[in-house]
């Protein structure tokens, strides 16, 4: 299983989303873009082609990915920051 933390950026308005993912496929082939409620609405509005995913960190376990996701959300205040969909 592969685990990683990623950031999705809306190429139209610059808003971002930080998330974590575990998958069986190679990370660079994973098409998953996120499942946050606000992010899903934005993808519906702007289209998936207007979002870019960047891998922030590859992790050794799901627990490590979860901790890193929480850390980055806290660092960027992504829950309260209007520049994020978190």
């Amino acid at each position: 299983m592969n685990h990683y933390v990623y950031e999705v950026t809306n190429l139209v308005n610059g808003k971002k989303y930080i998330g974590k993912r575990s998958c069986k496929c190679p990370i660079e082939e994973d098409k998953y873009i996120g499942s946050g409620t606000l992010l899903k609405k934005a993808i519906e509005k702007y289209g998936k082609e207007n979002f870019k995913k960047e891998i922030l960190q590859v992790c050794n376990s799901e627990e490590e990915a979860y901790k890193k996701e929480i850390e980055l959300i806290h660092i960027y205040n992504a829950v309260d920051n209007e520049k994020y969909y978190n």
Side-chain angles (χ1 to χ4, degrees):
M1 201 70 137
N2 295 305
H3 313 280
Y4 63 94
V5 178
Y6 63 93
E7 181 177 77
V8 172
T9 303
N10 181 325
L11 301 174
V12 176
N13 64 18
K15 286 182 82 167
K16 299 179 178 196
Y17 177 83
I18 296 171
K20 70 140 184 88
R21 172 84 167 145
S22 296
C23 62
K24 292 181 181 180
C25 66
I27 292 171
E28 59 278 355
E29 293 177 15
D30 190 13
K31 302 293 184 208
Y32 182 80
I33 197 163
S35 61
T37 304
L38 295 176
L39 177 63
K40 286 166 106 175
K41 288 180 181 180
I43 291 169
E44 278 183 36
K45 179 178 180 178
Y46 296 102
K48 192 173 183 176
E49 68 278 3
N50 286 307
F51 289 82
K52 176 183 81 169
K53 181 170 82 173
E54 177 184 354
I55 306 305
L56 300 179
Q57 183 169 333
V58 175
C59 302
N60 294 317
S61 68
E62 185 173 18
E63 182 180 338
E64 180 185 345
Y66 178 73
K67 287 179 181 178
K68 188 64 177 179
E69 175 194 34
I70 297 288
E71 177 186 333
L72 291 172
I73 287 171
H74 178 72
I75 287 170
Y76 294 105
N77 193 28
V79 173
D80 296 321
N81 188 335
E82 63 185 37
K83 294 180 182 179
Y84 284 85
Y85 292 113
N86 293 81

